[in-house]
Amino acid sequence: MQLQRWRSASLALGLLLPRLFVHEALADDRPVLSLPLVCQPHRTCFIQNYVDIDPGRPAMDYMCGRATFDKHSGVDFRLLSAAATTPPVSVLASADGTVKAVRDGVQDVFFKKAKPQDVAGRECGNGVILDHGGGWETQYCHMHQGSVRVAKGQTVKRGDTLGEAGFSGMADFAQVHISVRHDGKTIDPFLPDLADGKCDPNARGPGLWEPQAAAAFPYKNGEMIGAEFAGAPPTVEALEIDHRNVVPLTTASPALILYGRFINLMKGDRVHFTASGPGSEILDESAAPLERDKATYVAFAGKRRLGDTWPVGRYSGRVELIRDKGVIATNIVTFDLNEASR
């Protein structure tokens, strides 16, 4: 979610106003950042939003894509669901530093279910700011209530646990939001030397990240974060609560559903589905092109049961995300249906 800024006197958070990006070359004392949480890239965690580098509209990420939203001032590393925060997912210090500010005690509630006044001044939720010296600082937001493990003035090393990923404050999904600032100015860690809101579709360097961290998260503007067979279509809202919240496919299911779950889709994107079961093809179809961009999205195709039961055996499915006539993401799934699945 959008990074918020600490009010130094009260340690409350207010909205971070749009800030100018750095025009001059940054100092050589810039920190080198490791990943801010413990997870498996592109399996259990994904980048939902990058920094919005355009001071105007529309929002634009550092690669000139739209995997961000207006005035978003950090990077959102999302988890599969709120349920994926149990067991806890550790939020880590991305570089050595001193704790500048902390806050804990904000309830974990998806922002869509809260009222704006419930998080007013606390949009970052539970979080930590680290001072790395030379005017550099990082901020970590939306941590789980009661999980912050550090105190103001404490010295921390890269990789030390700061708390746990959550969804406190202005958050619509489980995550940790990390922002980087230099002398109070927002810095995009993927393209730290950008000038005056300029993006670069050919950017390839690690930026402020360690090379292995940058390699773990190559730029994506459109990603499939899950696919599965089910007995009924799932919803975006249900999957954000628990990514396992899917009606199971059984031999008696009234329909066989193959679905894909996506982030950062663009207008015109299409999803293609193919599925086969014991001895026969079940479906081969494409969803209609999207009429507008979608930050999160679930697409599905299915077939109603015609016989008494679905035949037992192995079912295979393929879900493809198609953009500009090219496949940019593919997920192949299998499911073994047996007599016990009644």
Side-chain angles (χ1 to χ4, degrees), residues 112-132:
K112 290 179 181 178
K113 295 183 178 297
K115 298 177 181 179
Q117 59 266 31
D118 292 340
V119 295
R122 302 178 300 166
E123 290 86 353
C124 178
N126 305 308
V128 175
I129 295 178
L130 297 182
D131 184 344
H132 305 289

PDB file of all heavy atoms in Angstrom, residues 112-132:
ATOM      1  N   LYS A 112     -10.459  -2.322   3.040  1.00  0.00           N
ATOM      2  CA  LYS A 112     -11.787  -2.293   2.428  1.00  0.00           C
ATOM      3  C   LYS A 112     -12.876  -2.579   3.458  1.00  0.00           C
ATOM      4  O   LYS A 112     -14.029  -2.193   3.280  1.00  0.00           O
ATOM      5  CB  LYS A 112     -11.867  -3.305   1.291  1.00  0.00           C
ATOM      6  CG  LYS A 112     -11.044  -2.926   0.063  1.00  0.00           C
ATOM      7  CD  LYS A 112     -11.156  -3.977  -1.009  1.00  0.00           C
ATOM      8  CE  LYS A 112     -10.312  -3.616  -2.219  1.00  0.00           C
ATOM      9  NZ  LYS A 112     -10.361  -4.663  -3.277  1.00  0.00           N
ATOM     10  N   LYS A 113     -12.521  -3.284   4.531  1.00  0.00           N
ATOM     11  CA  LYS A 113     -13.496  -3.618   5.568  1.00  0.00           C
ATOM     12  C   LYS A 113     -13.476  -2.609   6.718  1.00  0.00           C
ATOM     13  O   LYS A 113     -14.284  -2.703   7.643  1.00  0.00           O
ATOM     14  CB  LYS A 113     -13.215  -5.027   6.112  1.00  0.00           C
ATOM     15  CG  LYS A 113     -13.406  -6.126   5.074  1.00  0.00           C
ATOM     16  CD  LYS A 113     -13.189  -7.498   5.690  1.00  0.00           C
ATOM     17  CE  LYS A 113     -13.414  -8.601   4.673  1.00  0.00           C
ATOM     18  NZ  LYS A 113     -14.804  -8.628   4.169  1.00  0.00           N
ATOM     19  N   ALA A 114     -12.526  -1.687   6.686  1.00  0.00           N
ATOM     20  CA  ALA A 114     -12.414  -0.681   7.736  1.00  0.00           C
ATOM     21  C   ALA A 114     -13.014   0.634   7.244  1.00  0.00           C
ATOM     22  O   ALA A 114     -13.414   0.776   6.096  1.00  0.00           O
ATOM     23  CB  ALA A 114     -10.952  -0.486   8.131  1.00  0.00           C
ATOM     24  N   LYS A 115     -13.071   1.593   8.144  1.00  0.00           N
ATOM     25  CA  LYS A 115     -13.488   2.936   7.783  1.00  0.00           C
ATOM     26  C   LYS A 115     -12.253   3.823   7.707  1.00  0.00           C
ATOM     27  O   LYS A 115     -11.307   3.619   8.463  1.00  0.00           O
ATOM     28  CB  LYS A 115     -14.467   3.469   8.828  1.00  0.00           C
ATOM     29  CG  LYS A 115     -15.746   2.660   8.937  1.00  0.00           C
ATOM     30  CD  LYS A 115     -16.645   3.204  10.032  1.00  0.00           C
ATOM     31  CE  LYS A 115     -17.919   2.367  10.144  1.00  0.00           C
ATOM     32  NZ  LYS A 115     -18.799   2.857  11.229  1.00  0.00           N
ATOM     33  N   PRO A 116     -12.231   4.803   6.789  1.00  0.00           N
ATOM     34  CA  PRO A 116     -11.036   5.651   6.654  1.00  0.00           C
ATOM     35  C   PRO A 116     -10.570   6.241   7.973  1.00  0.00           C
ATOM     36  O   PRO A 116      -9.361   6.327   8.227  1.00  0.00           O
ATOM     37  CB  PRO A 116     -11.503   6.735   5.668  1.00  0.00           C
ATOM     38  CG  PRO A 116     -12.569   6.080   4.855  1.00  0.00           C
ATOM     39  CD  PRO A 116     -13.275   5.144   5.804  1.00  0.00           C
ATOM     40  N   GLN A 117     -11.514   6.621   8.819  1.00  0.00           N
ATOM     41  CA  GLN A 117     -11.104   7.210  10.093  1.00  0.00           C
ATOM     42  C   GLN A 117     -10.437   6.195  11.013  1.00  0.00           C
ATOM     43  O   GLN A 117      -9.730   6.572  11.957  1.00  0.00           O
ATOM     44  CB  GLN A 117     -12.305   7.853  10.808  1.00  0.00           C
ATOM     45  CG  GLN A 117     -13.456   6.903  11.127  1.00  0.00           C
ATOM     46  CD  GLN A 117     -14.531   6.898  10.055  1.00  0.00           C
ATOM     47  OE1 GLN A 117     -14.233   7.110   8.882  1.00  0.00           O
ATOM     48  NE2 GLN A 117     -15.773   6.673  10.465  1.00  0.00           N
ATOM     49  N   ASP A 118     -10.644   4.897  10.745  1.00  0.00           N
ATOM     50  CA  ASP A 118     -10.035   3.877  11.594  1.00  0.00           C
ATOM     51  C   ASP A 118      -8.516   3.852  11.462  1.00  0.00           C
ATOM     52  O   ASP A 118      -7.824   3.408  12.380  1.00  0.00           O
ATOM     53  CB  ASP A 118     -10.586   2.497  11.257  1.00  0.00           C
ATOM     54  CG  ASP A 118     -12.060   2.351  11.629  1.00  0.00           C
ATOM     55  OD1 ASP A 118     -12.528   3.139  12.467  1.00  0.00           O
ATOM     56  OD2 ASP A 118     -12.729   1.451  11.081  1.00  0.00           O
ATOM     57  N   VAL A 119      -8.001   4.305  10.309  1.00  0.00           N
ATOM     58  CA  VAL A 119      -6.548   4.278  10.097  1.00  0.00           C
ATOM     59  C   VAL A 119      -5.985   5.673   9.851  1.00  0.00           C
ATOM     60  O   VAL A 119      -4.821   5.808   9.488  1.00  0.00           O
ATOM     61  CB  VAL A 119      -6.173   3.345   8.919  1.00  0.00           C
ATOM     62  CG1 VAL A 119      -6.531   1.909   9.236  1.00  0.00           C
ATOM     63  CG2 VAL A 119      -6.846   3.795   7.623  1.00  0.00           C
ATOM     64  N   ALA A 120      -6.802   6.690  10.040  1.00  0.00           N
ATOM     65  CA  ALA A 120      -6.331   8.062   9.818  1.00  0.00           C
ATOM     66  C   ALA A 120      -5.124   8.340  10.707  1.00  0.00           C
ATOM     67  O   ALA A 120      -5.163   8.138  11.922  1.00  0.00           O
ATOM     68  CB  ALA A 120      -7.444   9.058  10.120  1.00  0.00           C
ATOM     69  N   GLY A 121      -4.044   8.784  10.098  1.00  0.00           N
ATOM     70  CA  GLY A 121      -2.813   9.052  10.812  1.00  0.00           C
ATOM     71  C   GLY A 121      -2.005   7.810  11.120  1.00  0.00           C
ATOM     72  O   GLY A 121      -0.909   7.902  11.678  1.00  0.00           O
ATOM     73  N   ARG A 122      -2.539   6.642  10.765  1.00  0.00           N
ATOM     74  CA  ARG A 122      -1.838   5.378  11.030  1.00  0.00           C
ATOM     75  C   ARG A 122      -1.865   4.502   9.776  1.00  0.00           C
ATOM     76  O   ARG A 122      -1.945   3.282   9.859  1.00  0.00           O
ATOM     77  CB  ARG A 122      -2.500   4.637  12.189  1.00  0.00           C
ATOM     78  CG  ARG A 122      -2.555   5.432  13.493  1.00  0.00           C
ATOM     79  CD  ARG A 122      -3.264   4.647  14.577  1.00  0.00           C
ATOM     80  NE  ARG A 122      -4.639   4.335  14.190  1.00  0.00           N
ATOM     81  CZ  ARG A 122      -5.407   3.440  14.815  1.00  0.00           C
ATOM     82  NH1 ARG A 122      -4.926   2.763  15.829  1.00  0.00           N
ATOM     83  NH2 ARG A 122      -6.649   3.229  14.424  1.00  0.00           N
ATOM     84  N   GLU A 123      -1.799   5.141   8.607  1.00  0.00           N
ATOM     85  CA  GLU A 123      -1.961   4.418   7.347  1.00  0.00           C
ATOM     86  C   GLU A 123      -0.893   3.352   7.138  1.00  0.00           C
ATOM     87  O   GLU A 123      -1.129   2.346   6.478  1.00  0.00           O
ATOM     88  CB  GLU A 123      -1.952   5.407   6.173  1.00  0.00           C
ATOM     89  CG  GLU A 123      -3.181   6.300   6.099  1.00  0.00           C
ATOM     90  CD  GLU A 123      -3.061   7.551   6.960  1.00  0.00           C
ATOM     91  OE1 GLU A 123      -2.070   7.670   7.721  1.00  0.00           O
ATOM     92  OE2 GLU A 123      -3.964   8.425   6.868  1.00  0.00           O
ATOM     93  N   CYS A 124       0.287   3.574   7.686  1.00  0.00           N
ATOM     94  CA  CYS A 124       1.368   2.588   7.574  1.00  0.00           C
ATOM     95  C   CYS A 124       1.130   1.386   8.483  1.00  0.00           C
ATOM     96  O   CYS A 124       1.785   0.365   8.352  1.00  0.00           O
ATOM     97  CB  CYS A 124       2.696   3.258   7.923  1.00  0.00           C
ATOM     98  SG  CYS A 124       4.137   2.187   7.905  1.00  0.00           S
ATOM     99  N   GLY A 125       0.179   1.505   9.399  1.00  0.00           N
ATOM    100  CA  GLY A 125      -0.058   0.423  10.336  1.00  0.00           C
ATOM    101  C   GLY A 125       1.112   0.266  11.296  1.00  0.00           C
ATOM    102  O   GLY A 125       1.745   1.243  11.709  1.00  0.00           O
ATOM    103  N   ASN A 126       1.399  -0.957  11.659  1.00  0.00           N
ATOM    104  CA  ASN A 126       2.536  -1.247  12.525  1.00  0.00           C
ATOM    105  C   ASN A 126       3.805  -1.245  11.686  1.00  0.00           C
ATOM    106  O   ASN A 126       3.854  -1.891  10.637  1.00  0.00           O
ATOM    107  CB  ASN A 126       2.348  -2.606  13.195  1.00  0.00           C
ATOM    108  CG  ASN A 126       1.032  -2.681  13.935  1.00  0.00           C
ATOM    109  OD1 ASN A 126       0.716  -1.814  14.744  1.00  0.00           O
ATOM    110  ND2 ASN A 126       0.234  -3.694  13.628  1.00  0.00           N
ATOM    111  N   GLY A 127       4.828  -0.523  12.136  1.00  0.00           N
ATOM    112  CA  GLY A 127       6.003  -0.401  11.284  1.00  0.00           C
ATOM    113  C   GLY A 127       7.239   0.060  12.003  1.00  0.00           C
ATOM    114  O   GLY A 127       7.235   0.345  13.203  1.00  0.00           O
ATOM    115  N   VAL A 128       8.303   0.140  11.223  1.00  0.00           N
ATOM    116  CA  VAL A 128       9.633   0.497  11.731  1.00  0.00           C
ATOM    117  C   VAL A 128      10.307   1.391  10.704  1.00  0.00           C
ATOM    118  O   VAL A 128      10.179   1.163   9.489  1.00  0.00           O
ATOM    119  CB  VAL A 128      10.496  -0.767  11.961  1.00  0.00           C
ATOM    120  CG1 VAL A 128      11.922  -0.389  12.361  1.00  0.00           C
ATOM    121  CG2 VAL A 128       9.859  -1.669  13.014  1.00  0.00           C
ATOM    122  N   ILE A 129      11.032   2.402  11.174  1.00  0.00           N
ATOM    123  CA  ILE A 129      11.919   3.188  10.319  1.00  0.00           C
ATOM    124  C   ILE A 129      13.347   2.947  10.784  1.00  0.00           C
ATOM    125  O   ILE A 129      13.635   3.018  11.982  1.00  0.00           O
ATOM    126  CB  ILE A 129      11.608   4.691  10.388  1.00  0.00           C
ATOM    127  CG1 ILE A 129      10.225   4.976   9.812  1.00  0.00           C
ATOM    128  CG2 ILE A 129      12.648   5.497   9.616  1.00  0.00           C
ATOM    129  CD1 ILE A 129       9.824   6.444   9.877  1.00  0.00           C
ATOM    130  N   LEU A 130      14.234   2.646   9.836  1.00  0.00           N
ATOM    131  CA  LEU A 130      15.653   2.458  10.122  1.00  0.00           C
ATOM    132  C   LEU A 130      16.462   3.588   9.504  1.00  0.00           C
ATOM    133  O   LEU A 130      16.242   3.968   8.347  1.00  0.00           O
ATOM    134  CB  LEU A 130      16.155   1.126   9.551  1.00  0.00           C
ATOM    135  CG  LEU A 130      15.545  -0.152  10.106  1.00  0.00           C
ATOM    136  CD1 LEU A 130      16.210  -1.371   9.459  1.00  0.00           C
ATOM    137  CD2 LEU A 130      15.673  -0.218  11.620  1.00  0.00           C
ATOM    138  N   ASP A 131      17.389   4.122  10.280  1.00  0.00           N
ATOM    139  CA  ASP A 131      18.327   5.147   9.819  1.00  0.00           C
ATOM    140  C   ASP A 131      19.624   4.451   9.443  1.00  0.00           C
ATOM    141  O   ASP A 131      20.235   3.769  10.263  1.00  0.00           O
ATOM    142  CB  ASP A 131      18.562   6.145  10.948  1.00  0.00           C
ATOM    143  CG  ASP A 131      19.458   7.313  10.528  1.00  0.00           C
ATOM    144  OD1 ASP A 131      20.141   7.210   9.484  1.00  0.00           O
ATOM    145  OD2 ASP A 131      19.496   8.314  11.257  1.00  0.00           O
ATOM    146  N   HIS A 132      20.053   4.611   8.180  1.00  0.00           N
ATOM    147  CA  HIS A 132      21.258   3.957   7.688  1.00  0.00           C
ATOM    148  C   HIS A 132      22.446   4.912   7.570  1.00  0.00           C
ATOM    149  O   HIS A 132      23.502   4.533   7.054  1.00  0.00           O
ATOM    150  CB  HIS A 132      20.977   3.299   6.327  1.00  0.00           C
ATOM    151  CG  HIS A 132      19.827   2.352   6.366  1.00  0.00           C
ATOM    152  ND1 HIS A 132      19.880   1.138   6.995  1.00  0.00           N
ATOM    153  CD2 HIS A 132      18.572   2.472   5.869  1.00  0.00           C
ATOM    154  CE1 HIS A 132      18.712   0.530   6.886  1.00  0.00           C
ATOM    155  NE2 HIS A 132      17.899   1.317   6.203  1.00  0.00           N
TER     156      HIS A 132
END
